[in-house]
Amino acid sequence: MSAEGLSQAKKIVIVGGGAVGLEVARQLTERGERVRIVDDREVVVEKARAQGFLAERISFQNDEELKRIGIGGEVDVLFALLDDDASNVFLVISARAMAPELPIVSISGVHDTIERLHAAGATKVIDPYRISGYKIYERMHRPLIAETLEHTVFGKVNLDIAEIHVREGCFLHGKYLDELSLEERYNLIVLGVVDRELGDHLIFATDPRRHRMDDGDVLVLIGPEDAFRKFHAQLNAAEQ
């Protein structure tokens, strides 16, 4: 990576070195971000180090230790990925008090906890069960695509995810998702859309016939890197 690339890399702290934390760290590291994993369990820290990550043991209930690792200072993004929901809520409250503008991402599959995390100051809360629900739907209705996605997730194919912003005049504008045939034409799977008429939240695309792409909408896609190169080439050509 060039010196310019290093200077632009975000400084990211992941609190929680469990399976989710390690996977997030792996993906971010592959994208060139500077990642540090912290946990209060020595065995978890040692496991993260064994996999090549910068990791250390801290007490996340100690504000001074949170400051020492850069919360409220040099850290650009915080991931609260502890195994216990109550611990994540406590961490988000502490970090938000120290860093009012810091992006904080957490995870929970419990509706009440998701609300608590948002109330505590989390910028984004990921619900893994909604994602699993989408995967189940795909397996029921499009098993071949689901199998391809599953293989990609487990590293057999290079998976990427991208946000495609719809502009008036591009070939996406005015089309319903099922009209685009993105799976057949580009080997890309539609994860969801951000419909600006309905707000800024991602809507999982379980029924593509219901989503008409308008100017300002955002299309979220999953697929191999070479598929995205082909898709972007046609998108750019259509806009010229």
Side-chain angles (χ1 to χ4, degrees):
M1 182 181 293
S2 66
E4 181 181 358
L6 284 173
S7 65
Q8 293 177 348
K10 291 185 175 66
K11 296 178 181 178
I12 299 172
V13 167
I14 297 174
V15 183
V20 174
L22 289 174
E23 178 61 21
V24 171
R26 183 188 66 77
Q27 294 191 25
L28 291 172
T29 300
E30 288 178 354
R31 292 176 179 270
E33 309 295 358
R34 290 177 285 180
V35 177
R36 174 187 291 183
I37 297 175
V38 298
D39 203 294
D40 61 353
R41 299 163 293 179
E42 186 63 33
V43 64
V44 173
V45 171
E46 290 301 324
K47 181 178 179 181
R49 287 174 178 166
Q51 295 189 30
F53 297 112
L54 177 63
E56 65 179 291
R57 183 180 181 182
I58 72 164
S59 172
F60 57 83
Q61 296 181 347
N62 186 319
D63 286 355
E64 292 305 314
E65 293 202 32
L66 292 177
K67 291 177 182 177
R68 180 175 61 79
I69 62 172
I71 306 301
E74 61 182 8
V75 170
D76 295 309
V77 182
L78 172 67
F79 283 82
L81 302 179
L82 294 159
D83 297 332
D84 178 60
D85 285 339
S87 297
N88 282 325
V89 171
F90 181 87
L91 173 62
V92 171
I93 291 173
S94 300
R96 180 57 70 216
M98 287 185 280
E101 303 300 323
L102 176 68
I104 302 175
V105 180
S106 193
I107 186 168
S108 179
V110 180
H111 177 72
D112 289 347
T113 302
I114 292 173
E115 291 186 344
R116 291 191 191 100
L117 285 164
H118 280 301
T123 310
K124 176 70 175 177
V125 181
I126 299 168
D127 181 350
Y129 296 107
R130 289 188 65 188
I131 297 174
S132 298
Y134 173 80
K135 184 176 178 181
I136 292 169
Y137 175 89
E138 288 295 315
R139 179 166 292 281
M140 290 171 59
H141 293 272
R142 288 181 280 187
L144 182 59
I145 295 171
E147 184 178 349
T148 301
L149 177 58
E150 188 170 288
H151 287 177
T152 305
V153 170
F154 283 101
K156 297 181 181 177
V157 181
N158 241 348
L159 176 70
D160 205 355
I161 184 168
E163 296 180 0
I164 308 299
H165 293 260
V166 179
R167 299 285 180 258
E168 189 172 357
C170 78
F171 73 88
L172 301 174
H173 186 259
K175 299 288 183 64
Y176 286 89
L177 292 183
D178 61 333
E179 292 182 82
L180 299 175
S181 302
L182 297 179
E183 297 92 340
E184 293 81 4
R185 295 175 62 188
Y186 301 100
N187 194 27
L188 294 173
I189 296 173
V190 180
L191 177 62
V193 296
V194 178
D195 190 329
R196 295 304 185 189
E197 293 183 355
L198 301 177
D200 296 324
H201 301 291
L202 178 67
I203 303 170
F204 284 83
T206 54
D207 187 352
R209 294 169 298 178
R210 297 181 180 179
H211 297 287
R212 180 180 184 272
M213 303 304 299
D214 297 313
D215 183 42
D217 290 350
V218 180
L219 185 61
V220 182
L221 303 175
I222 296 176
E225 292 179 1
D226 58 347
F228 275 111
R229 284 194 290 269
K230 177 182 177 183
F231 179 77
H232 280 295
Q234 181 167 345
L235 190 63
N236 292 335
E239 291 180 348
Q240 291 177 355

